[in-house]
Amino acid sequence: MAPAPELLNQTSAVSHFVLAGLLYTAEHPAFFFLLFLLVYGTTAAGNLLILVAVGCTPRLGSPMYHFLGHLSFLDACLSTVTVPKVLAGLLAVESRLISLPGCAAQLYCFHLLASTECFLYTVMAYDRYLAICRPLRYPAAMSRRVCAGLAGGTWAVGALHSALHTALTFRLPYCGPRHVAYFFCDIPPVLALACADTSANELVMLVDIGVVAAGCLALIVASYSLIVAAVLRIRTAAGRRRAFSTCTAHLTVVLLYYTPPVCIYLQPGAAGAGTGAPAVFYTIITPVLNPFIYTLRNTEMKRALRGLLCRDS
């Protein structure tokens, strides 16, 4: 995208941006503040409960629950990166201001958490594949050491992935418009404000995020295709029901998580305020739904949470 001629003539560097916030929230800020505060509180409490239950319940010591603990932590942090700024902006317009370093930090943290979660879903699919399709090899293939290595690997790759995009985005000069047409600092709306050619950035974003998301999704689909084939060979109805129950929860979350980024990052030129709507799903909606999806369909998790709550009371 070529820079506008009038922007090239401006020499003053931008020290801060102004976030647009979410569409349709300006007319009833008090209502949306209470709504998002309730959603954020539920997200934090639900994911914290799962994290504590996994850490304090010995029978939830399997790799699946270890990864679920990481997912709960990621979801709580992902909401924390974006929602408090949205809440502050609903209370006071001045709170929509964000400094350039603050914008870079928010973009880095968001992509660190989002890409780590993307890789974690792939690891969780692999874990379910080993548990259902290779049960005899599962204890050795998914030992505590391997489990910790896979979880740590998702964080390390996520950090590198985020650092690459943050460095590429903020190496560009920003000397013109300050209005970010989005409710947080993300790559497409920030690139739209750059006073330089962003075609290389858009190509890297399209190729890198497209390849990573498509690769992870392909591995997840392949894992669950093999899982479905193995489940259909289970003779008992109870066994099939239990296997499908665990896998259905994971697949539901994966679909909710992967669909919005396709609408956002595979259309680099789309940076209007309306493009923030898909991002609401995986920054606000998915994190609050995950605790319900994983607990309502999981007998062991419900039993652990019930025991934890009763013991505390």
Side-chain angles (χ1 to χ4, degrees), residues 12 46 93-94 150 264 270:
S12 60
V93 177
E94 309 83 54
L150 286 171
I264 297 170

Side-chain angles (χ1 to χ4, degrees), residues 77-161:
C77 291
L78 193 60
S79 272
T80 301
V81 167
T82 56
V83 178
K85 192 65 178 176
V86 173
L87 292 173
L90 289 170
L91 286 179
V93 177
E94 309 83 54
S95 298
R96 293 182 182 177
L97 288 175
I98 185 168
S99 66
L100 190 66
C103 185
Q106 187 182 49
L107 189 146
Y108 174 79
C109 291
F110 173 76
H111 280 275
L112 162 65
L113 298 165
S115 56
T116 300
E117 191 161 329
C118 174
F119 299 130
L120 186 64
Y121 283 131
T122 310
V123 170
M124 291 173 75
Y126 175 64
D127 171 69
R128 290 300 82 206
Y129 160 75
L130 287 177
I132 294 172
C133 301
R134 298 287 185 270
L136 297 179
R137 291 178 50 194
Y138 182 71
M142 197 58 73
S143 63
R144 187 178 294 271
R145 185 175 180 178
V146 172
C147 189
L150 286 171
T154 62
W155 282 94
V157 177
L160 290 173
H161 188 258

